């Protein structure tokens, strides 16, 4: 199973919005609503941001939102803050008891 | 509060073996599927394996199938990953993670343990 495709980098100024895409296939993103997003700061474990395409766990600010269209999922970070500077990974169930992660996107707050 | 503590990483020669452990606390361990996910240095995340709550089902990525074995001891709130025939490309930080509901998301992660495969 190939990794989902994300842009290597994205950036925005404080207060702006940034959207990260995550492109897969009909066998993963397009076939299931089990898309999740994770934030990882340097040297730290990943943290769940979004699950089931667009749901936020308690404690995650509503500045983070997710969506999906066909085979592409997206994460939008609104009102960028300095602490949002991190790596972001998407993930999807890929059928046959297999999971696939995205290639990762480094978000820089200018 | 959910807490996962990974351990067992270290330096091992190609072809060698290593056993990772993950001790869980703060939730009913036996109610949840558990998984191992790894991250090679400077690279992205890769799902490795998963085990059902009662150990009846185990799943593996193709890259480790036949070499790695996942297991758990619910009485000890512990998850394990036995890694055999290790290769240089297995070098990574290994995280244990709780699966909310198979095959959904990973909602809690350990701090990770580094495995280095090198001669």
């Amino acid at each position: 199973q190939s990794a989902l495709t994300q842009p290597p980098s994205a950036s925005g100024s404080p207060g702006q919005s940034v959207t990260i895409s995550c492109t897969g296939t009909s066998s993963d993103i397009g076939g299931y609503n089990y898309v999740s997003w994770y934030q990882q700061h340097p040297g730290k474990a990943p943290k769940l941001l979004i699950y089931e395409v667009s749901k936020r766990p308690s404690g995650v600010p509503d500045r983070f939102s997710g969506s999906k269209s066909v085979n592409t999922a997206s994460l939008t970070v609104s009102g960028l803050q300095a602490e949002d500077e991190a790596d972001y990974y998407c993930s999807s169930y890929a059928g046959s008891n297999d999971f696939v992660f995205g290639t990762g996107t480094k978000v820089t707050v200018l | 509060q959910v807490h996962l503590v990974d351990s067992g990483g270290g330096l091992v020669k190609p072809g060698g073996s290593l056993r990772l452990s993950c001790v869980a606390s703060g939730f009913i361990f036996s109610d949840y599927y558990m998984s191992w996910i790894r991250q090679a240095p400077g690279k992205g995340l890769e799902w490795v394996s998963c085990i059902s709550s009662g150990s009846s089902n185990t799943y593996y990525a193709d890259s480790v199938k036949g070499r790695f074995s996942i297991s758990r001891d619910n009485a000890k709130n512990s998850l394990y990953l036995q890694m055999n025939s290790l290769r240089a490309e297995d070098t990574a930080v290994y995280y244990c993670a709780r699966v909310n509901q198979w095959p959904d998301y990973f909602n809690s992660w350990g701090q990770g343990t580094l495995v280095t495969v090198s001669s």
Side-chain angles (χ1 to χ4, degrees), chain A residues 35-99:
Chain A
V35 176
S36 50
W37 289 89
Y38 303 87
Q39 177 191 59
Q40 186 180 35
H41 287 105
K44 301 294 186 181
K47 171 192 170 186
L48 176 69
L49 284 180
I50 297 288
Y51 66 98
E52 293 173 8
V53 177
S54 59
K55 298 177 182 178
R56 275 179 291 105
S58 60
V60 173
D62 59 6
R63 303 185 293 104
F64 294 92
S65 61
S67 63
K68 186 183 90 165
S69 177
V70 191
N71 298 332
T72 298
S74 298
L75 173 72
T76 298
V77 186
S78 306
L80 266 176
Q81 299 182 3
E83 59 262 36
D84 299 333
E85 187 160 295
D87 293 327
Y88 292 80
Y89 293 92
C90 59
S91 176
S92 175
Y93 180 60
S96 301
N97 300 309
D98 192 15
F99 265 94

Side-chain angles (χ1 to χ4, degrees), chain B residues 1-108:
Chain B
Q1 184 178 357
V2 175
H3 199 45
L4 300 171
V5 179
D6 306 315
S7 63
L11 176 63
V12 61
K13 289 181 169 54
S17 298
L18 208 57
R19 189 195 197 205
L20 306 184
S21 299
C22 170
V23 177
S25 60
F27 65 101
I28 302 174
F29 182 70
S30 57
D31 280 353
Y32 290 88
Y33 279 55
M34 295 293 294
S35 196
W36 288 98
I37 295 158
R38 68 184 180 183
Q39 186 171 34
K43 302 297 184 182
L45 300 169
E46 179 188 15
W47 174 76
V48 173
S49 182
C50 182
I51 186 168
S52 61
S53 54
S55 302
S56 56
N57 296 309
T58 57
Y59 312 117
Y60 299 92
D62 287 344
S63 57
V64 306
K65 206 169 289 183
R67 300 187 300 122
F68 290 12
S69 177
I70 191 171
S71 62
R72 65 191 294 164
D73 184 337
N74 286 344
K76 295 182 178 180
N77 287 348
S78 293
L79 175 73
Y80 306 102
L81 185 68
Q82 177 66 43
M83 303 184 296
N84 299 328
S85 302
L86 283 162
R87 306 166 180 167
E89 54 265 35
D90 296 318
T91 294
V93 173
Y94 285 72
Y95 297 98
C96 70
R98 190 182 82 172
V99 185
N100 183 68
Q101 181 177 319
W102 186 259
D104 214 332
Y105 53 95
F106 310 101
N107 57 353
S108 297

